[in-house]
Amino acid sequence: MLKVVKFGGSSLASAAQFAKAGEIIRSEESRKYVVPSAPGKRNAKDTKVTDLLYECYAAAEAEEDFKMKLRKIKERFDSIINGLNLKLSLEEEFRTIAENFTKKSGRDYAASRGEYLNGIIMAAYLGYEFIDAAEVIFFDKNGEFEAEKTNKILSKRLKKCEKAVIPGFYGVREDGVVCTFSRGGSDITGSVVAKAAGADLYENWTDVSGFLVADPRIIENPEVIKVITYRELRELSYMGATVLHEDAVFPVRQAGIPINIKNTNAPDEEGTLIVESTCHHSKYTITGIAGKKGFVAVNIDKDMMNSEVGFCRKVLTAFEQNGISFEHMPSGIDTMTVFVHQEEFEGKEQQVLSAIHRLAEPDTIDLGADYALIAVVGRGMRATRGTAGRIFSALSHANVNVRMIDQGSSELNIIIGVANNDFETAIKAIYDIFVTTQL
Ligand code: ASP
């Protein structure tokens, strides 16, 4: 058994958190490769080290005095080192960082130092080898991740060491410049390392016990999803559920390695297992509910639309020409509706409307603002009768008017459009009918 374990920022924010991570790693021989994030927030008012580094580098770039800011960052790391009773000095490392900041070595380089230094501490604490991600994770000259090259070099390197710490979030470009993934990118590094190591499991340790069936800001103490497929996860993350970086699933998915989301503060809880496919029935018909507010429905009418070849393409061209992506597109006989993000659409509204008129010559176009879209996701829906019926009767009992329905052909999800104001009520009603009343 071989596990790659990634620890998020809050799991490594202080010496006490580090010690919890250390205990988890040491408790199983199989946890051989460790991917740390930079120290995150110790409490709600705290600032992540990554953000402090961005701020510090901005001062360096503006040729202001950044030394004070850098000293504060060093203090964060020193308090971890001292709390763990390690004999380790980052004096030399910080001297190099200060020199590189003065030389303006780049924003990505600056941000990456959080993971780099935390990796050094973690390696010293565990007695594992330290592998600088800049030697094994590669980006091309445009900053795009180079999966193949990385996998080849990284797997060769890992074969040579039994236990190692590889910092998350960054790598190196062809020209030697340090480059990072987007924010939260240590999740991707963990996945890349799991693939290269040929791991049996990628454990992603964070501060929640997995993916929740619904947003805890709307539902009090929602249930944890025990098993979820990659496709279900994609649907839920797209609609706003965030625990894992969206791109983190791709490397392990290709290699058939499951991801287990675990809680550093409650390591005995099972967490969520993310898999390619499963015969495990979820406890409820649905796996999860997620949603977003702020959509506009662009309703387009034209007599005999259905028999006009290419009508849809012409309409969508108008959106494409204005750089607007659409979310959903339910249609009727002589009508079609295109759902777009209100924020994205507002500034270009009139250009899009005139482009539709020009390209598709519709009879009328009318706009409906302030829609919320809710995705009810579940692999179990395909085989269950009455799921849609239950959703709509629950919504009707809760006095929510359903303004749009769209069921994907995969039968993995049902998308419901309601007024922004009804968003929370609708989610509560759906959660209650599928989860609360089943308990
Ligand atoms: N430290 C980086 C961030 O705050 C990357 C990560 O934590 O995954 O985004």
Side-chain angles (χ1 to χ4, degrees):
M1 185 74 163
L2 172 61
K3 291 183 183 175
V4 168
V5 290
K6 179 257 165 179
F7 285 87
S10 56
S11 300
L12 303 172
S14 63
Q17 288 299 92
F18 243 85
K20 285 186 198 167
E23 201 173 315
I24 290 164
I25 297 163
R26 290 189 185 109
S27 70
E28 261 191 44
E29 196 37 44
S30 57
R31 296 185 172 125
K32 291 190 189 335
Y33 300 119
V34 181
V35 176
S37 281
K41 294 184 182 191
R42 290 161 293 188
N43 52 60
K45 289 205 189 96
D46 205 9
T47 312
K48 287 175 158 199
V49 162
T50 309
D51 291 312
L52 295 177
L53 284 161
Y54 279 128
E55 202 189 302
C56 182
Y57 186 72
E61 224 177 11
E63 288 174 15
E64 289 161 18
D65 187 11
F66 65 87
K67 296 279 163 56
M68 191 62 189
K69 288 187 163 53
L70 198 58
R71 201 165 312 136
K72 284 257 170 308
I73 297 171
K74 182 166 182 295
E75 280 165 18
R76 280 280 280 271
F77 285 103
D78 282 343
S79 82
I80 295 175
I81 292 174
N82 297 334
L84 296 172
N85 288 322
L86 290 176
K87 295 220 169 0
L88 178 71
S89 163
L90 295 180
E91 213 53 64
E92 197 51 45
E93 293 292 351
F94 270 91
R95 210 165 299 134
T96 310
I97 293 170
E99 273 168 28
N100 287 333
F101 273 33
T102 313
K103 278 194 252 162
K104 301 187 184 153
S105 300
R107 210 171 164 263
D108 280 10
Y109 164 80
S112 75
R113 295 305 86 186
E115 271 71 11
Y116 170 78
L117 296 167
N118 236 15
I120 291 178
I121 300 176
M122 182 57 106
Y125 183 51
L126 296 171
Y128 282 22
E129 190 175 327
F130 173 75
I131 301 179
D132 187 350
E135 291 167 18
V136 287
I137 305 272
F138 300 97
F139 293 86
D140 68 13
K141 59 178 183 314
N142 302 317
E144 294 292 327
F145 173 56
E146 287 211 274
E148 256 174 57
K149 181 176 174 188
T150 299
N151 194 53
K152 215 166 113 203
I153 295 176
L154 180 57
S155 44
K156 224 190 233 165
R157 182 80 164 82
L158 293 178
K159 279 204 186 84
K160 283 197 222 132
C161 60
E162 209 207 330
K163 292 178 165 184
V165 174
I166 308 102
F169 193 37
Y170 72 95
V172 73
R173 255 176 14 199
E174 272 163 24
D175 56 5
V177 172
V178 167
C179 191
T180 66
F181 291 108
S182 55
R183 293 301 302 266
S186 297
D187 285 340
I188 308 174
T189 310
S191 181
V192 166
V193 173
K195 181 178 175 186
D200 298 290
L201 185 67
Y202 167 26
E203 283 181 344
N204 188 296
W205 292 83
T206 175
D207 53 6
V208 288
S209 292
F211 270 91
L212 302 171
V213 173
D215 188 337
R217 287 166 299 187
I218 301 173
I219 306 291
E220 207 180 311
N221 274 329
E223 289 269 307
V224 172
I225 301 172
K226 292 253 179 301
V227 183
I228 186 170
T229 64
Y230 288 125
R231 289 177 60 208
E232 289 175 309
L233 177 73
R234 179 93 182 96
E235 303 271 355
L236 288 174
S237 322
Y238 186 70
M239 285 302 262
T242 51
V243 174
L244 194 70
H245 191 294
E246 267 196 307
D247 295 340
V249 298
F250 300 115
V252 281
R253 185 178 182 174
Q254 286 162 359
I257 303 167
I259 308 174
N260 195 359
I261 308 282
K262 296 274 286 178
N263 189 348
T264 306
N265 304 315
D268 294 332
E269 285 178 15
E270 278 174 54
T272 300
L273 193 64
I274 308 166
V275 295
E276 172 73 48
S277 179
T278 177
C279 60
H280 178 284
H281 292 293
S282 66
K283 198 161 155 201
Y284 317 104
T285 309
I286 60 160
T287 304
I289 313 160
K292 279 186 195 165
K293 289 184 183 178
F295 290 91
V296 174
V298 184
N299 301 306
I300 301 141
D301 271 36
K302 184 175 189 181
D303 281 345
M304 307 303 285
M305 172 195 291
N306 242 21
S307 51
E308 183 179 328
V309 174
F311 184 82
C312 204
R313 177 184 49 76
K314 290 174 202 158
V315 169
L316 293 183
T317 304
F319 288 91
E320 187 183 350
Q321 283 176 352
N322 285 284
I324 292 176
S325 68
F326 75 94
E327 291 299 307
H328 290 281
M329 198 179 53
S331 63
I333 301 294
D334 288 331
T335 64
M336 63 181 279
T337 304
V338 181
F339 277 87
V340 289
H341 285 275
Q342 196 150 337
E343 251 179 31
E344 211 180 312
F345 182 69
E346 260 165 5
K348 297 178 181 164
E349 166 188 284
Q350 295 310 315
Q351 285 107 291
V352 177
L353 297 197
S354 67
I356 299 175
H357 274 292
R358 186 164 27 84
L359 294 161
E361 299 175 349
D363 295 337
T364 58
I365 307 177
D366 116 281
L367 299 180
D370 303 320
Y371 272 81
L373 296 181
I374 298 170
V376 185
V377 176
R379 58 187 180 278
M381 291 190 326
R382 196 162 16 176
T384 318
R385 211 162 21 98
T387 312
R390 286 166 77 193
I391 296 174
F392 298 119
S393 75
L395 291 175
S396 129
H397 281 297
N399 277 325
V400 172
N401 184 22
V402 175
R403 296 169 66 186
M404 191 276 286
I405 307 163
D406 193 359
Q407 175 169 14
S409 49
S410 62
E411 290 186 63
L412 194 65
N413 63 1
I414 297 177
I415 310 280
I416 301 144
V418 300
N420 272 347
N421 290 342
D422 285 333
F423 180 66
E424 284 83 6
T425 316
I427 293 209
K428 279 193 191 114
I430 299 170
Y431 184 86
D432 280 346
I433 196 76
F434 286 104
V435 181
T436 316
T437 57
Q438 308 296 306
L439 288 174

